[in-house]
Amino acid sequence: MPEDFVFGSATSAYQIEGAAALDGKGESIWDRFTRKPGAIADGSNGDMACDHYHLYPRDIALMKEMGLSAYRFSLSWPRLLPEGSGRVNAAGADFYHRLIDALLKAGIEPFLTLYHWDLPQRLQDKGGWYNRDTAMRFADYAAEAAQLFGDRVKKWTTLNEPWTFCWWGHATGEDAPGLKDGVKGGVISSHHALLAHGLAVPLIRSEARGAEVGITLDVNVTEPATDRAEDIEAARRFDGAQNRWYLDAIFRGAYPEDMLDLYNPRLLPDIRPGDLAAISAPIDFLGINNYRRSVIRAGAELAPLSYERVSPEGSDYSALGWEIWPQAIEDILVHVHETYRPARIYVTENGMATAPEVPDARGRIEDVERVSYYVGYLEKVASAARRGVPVKGYFAWTLMDNFEWALGYTAPFGLVHVDFKTQERRLKWSGEVYGRIAREAVER
Ligand code: IFM
């Protein structure tokens, strides 16, 4: 990997912090959603999660032991601003001050994400991402956070995966806030989320001097399952909804014409003059989260997107049924670089879920499949770098087993095993190997 390449791990606030109602934290949409019967596979929630709120020094020690040079985490918006705007919760700010200071002391660079899905419930009560005003409230929150932490945090990400939180939260309802409003829900919430991003970028820059600002998108190379015209068209629509809608808006200041035609007029959001200029505010880096490729054929999902995801025969799959296809990460990196030319790219998430794991008789977790997943994908990231993609870092998803949203605690992704009864942490074999790669794979 190039000289300045960073190896890190990533987490998000709701998935690890716990302390859901402690020290003045406000309620988030995930606190509310997890109370809904049947919403979460194992009936669990993030009330305690990894108790990172109290155990963060131990978690930083583990990162240091692995030799990681960066850590990507998110702020809990309602921990900082319990009502979503206005009053700052001093205890919440204090937690993040301590976390950031401890990271810097350990020589680990903080990469801060402002929004990883835990919207303050008070804003949801006013319409959440359907309400244009949420974009303004996000911009205020971003400015406040940049004022508080911008002296020490120099890498800022506005949103994590707008495709996922907008579509699975508002179109299909499997994530919070659980709305099943179909394509219209996905498109309206996406427009307001992108506006929130665009309004926040200049504010973060002016409050956090010298900071680099970006956004993380979950983009996938999309391939038609066959060469039948209807499958090729379905793959184009899916690519338009998941990838081009966000990338074109951010890098070209326009939504893709074919998608505007598809949504027009019934499913279009209220796009006002100046919105796309704000959304396309220049960014310093693009974060890419990638796990698999999307193989698509015509089908019944989310009309008029009307697609179906196909699991190609003969491939290996993770415990979530996601295809293990390392070439996907090289392909998406090269594609985004060639098409949109972001100044820098970070792989802000990549990793693999297994079935729940238990230590063997020697107390070890030899997660061979995860080791080979990381080795395979990292080889392809290196190959993209050799092909000229300005990829500057890689963050394994995830530091430790945690609350995997609607799947609860049934789908561990961690480099570190967590015993959720005792909160004991144990480095897995993948953590050892990833640490070795982090220490040795950079030309210095
Ligand atoms: O756990 C999630 C994360 O919060 C966002 N990206 C995908 C991960 C695995 O599903």
Side-chain angles (χ1 to χ4, degrees):
M1 295 296 190
E3 207 183 347
D4 52 352
F5 196 86
V6 297
F7 278 98
S9 64
T11 63
S12 85
Y14 188 75
Q15 293 180 275
I16 65 163
E17 282 181 3
L22 261 189
D23 293 345
K25 177 181 162 291
E27 189 187 16
S28 81
I29 54 173
W30 275 93
D31 292 316
R32 179 73 63 95
F33 183 66
T34 51
R35 290 331 192 241
K36 204 169 125 192
I40 309 298
D42 56 3
S44 66
N45 56 54
D47 285 5
M48 176 64 81
C50 308
D51 198 19
H52 175 75
Y53 187 74
H54 296 109
L55 301 179
Y56 71 91
R58 198 189 299 181
D59 298 331
I60 294 174
L62 280 161
M63 291 183 236
K64 199 169 160 68
E65 184 184 328
M66 280 186 262
L68 305 185
S69 56
Y71 175 51
R72 173 177 179 255
F73 65 99
S74 73
L75 300 186
S76 158
W77 182 350
R79 192 181 294 291
L80 201 62
L81 301 172
E83 286 88 36
S85 64
R87 181 179 68 87
V88 174
N89 172 28
D94 193 52
F95 167 64
Y96 294 115
H97 280 307
R98 283 182 277 122
L99 174 66
I100 292 163
D101 289 344
L103 286 165
L104 292 171
K105 194 161 170 225
I108 298 170
E109 183 177 10
F111 279 59
L112 186 155
T113 298
L114 284 160
Y115 187 74
H116 199 126
W117 308 359
D118 45 354
L119 188 76
Q121 182 61 42
R122 290 285 277 271
L123 296 184
Q124 186 60 43
D125 297 341
K126 297 179 189 150
W129 290 111
Y130 287 166
N131 183 351
R132 195 180 159 87
D133 187 59
T134 297
M136 324 305 162
R137 300 290 69 81
F138 178 80
D140 293 344
Y141 156 56
E144 185 70 56
Q147 224 171 63
L148 285 165
F149 311 119
D151 55 338
R152 285 152 293 152
V153 177
K154 298 299 170 195
K155 301 290 192 311
W156 288 76
T157 304
T158 53
L159 309 177
N160 179 68
E161 299 185 3
W163 157 258
T164 301
F165 77 76
C166 291
W167 286 78
W168 307 141
H170 304 81
T172 63
E174 62 215 66
D175 282 350
L179 303 172
K180 298 183 177 150
D181 294 336
V183 168
K184 192 167 184 138
V187 179
I188 296 178
S189 54
S190 291
H191 181 64
H192 293 149
L194 281 167
L195 184 60
H197 154 79
L199 294 174
V201 169
L203 297 175
I204 299 169
R205 275 220 192 85
S206 71
E207 297 293 345
R209 293 274 155 205
E212 293 177 22
V213 189
I215 183 171
T216 281
L217 301 179
D218 47 334
V219 284
N220 283 354
V221 159
T222 304
E223 298 171 16
T226 74
D227 54 14
R228 288 186 321 166
E230 64 202 85
D231 293 339
I232 293 172
E233 272 304 295
R236 186 188 54 72
R237 289 191 299 269
F238 184 82
D239 175 53
Q242 181 179 5
N243 300 327
R244 290 183 287 120
W245 187 260
Y246 304 95
L247 287 163
D248 282 18
I250 292 165
F251 290 102
R252 297 179 171 162
Y255 287 128
E257 285 295 332
D258 59 329
M259 300 311 287
L260 291 172
D261 289 347
L262 184 73
Y263 298 148
N264 191 32
R266 205 173 46 85
L267 302 171
L268 274 187
D270 171 23
I271 305 170
R272 301 197 186 159
D275 283 3
L276 279 141
I279 291 170
S280 57
I283 53 174
D284 302 298
F285 66 87
L286 176 68
I288 289 186
N289 289 358
N290 184 266
Y291 292 85
R292 54 176 168 174
R293 64 178 165 162
S294 296
V295 182
I296 299 293
R297 68 174 169 223
E301 293 281 319
L302 290 172
L305 293 180
S306 309
Y307 70 94
E308 189 183 315
R309 195 178 263 285
V310 174
S311 299
E313 271 176 42
S315 287
D316 290 329
Y317 290 89
S318 79
L320 298 187
W322 296 1
E323 189 188 16
I324 300 172
W325 188 261
Q327 189 59 41
I329 205 158
E330 179 174 346
D331 291 350
I332 194 68
L333 286 168
V334 170
H335 170 72
V336 167
H337 166 62
E338 286 178 348
T339 316
Y340 298 97
R341 298 273 161 194
R344 285 181 281 287
I345 300 180
Y346 289 93
V347 174
T348 37
E349 284 182 27
N350 173 241
M352 179 188 171
T354 58
E357 298 156 308
V358 280
D360 66 16
R362 293 174 304 151
R364 289 179 55 77
I365 293 183
E366 306 222 319
D367 50 343
V368 183
E369 287 175 305
R370 188 175 285 108
V371 168
S372 91
Y373 182 99
Y374 278 122
V375 171
Y377 275 73
L378 278 164
E379 273 172 2
K380 297 296 179 185
V381 174
S383 165
R386 283 193 297 273
R387 289 173 67 185
V389 177
V391 54
K392 299 294 178 195
Y394 175 94
F395 292 80
W397 184 268
T398 175
L399 173 63
M400 55 191 160
D401 296 344
N402 60 42
F403 179 77
E404 176 54 26
W405 306 114
L407 299 174
Y409 296 95
T410 66
F413 272 87
L415 298 167
V416 172
H417 176 263
V418 177
D419 179 330
F420 289 101
K421 290 203 188 76
T422 62
Q423 289 296 343
E424 191 189 346
R425 273 76 162 143
R426 185 185 306 256
L427 200 61
K428 300 180 191 175
W429 192 40
S430 56
E432 292 170 23
V433 172
Y434 183 63
R436 238 175 87 186
I437 294 172
R439 292 190 301 271
E440 294 172 12
V442 181
E443 284 175 28
R444 300 210 196 268

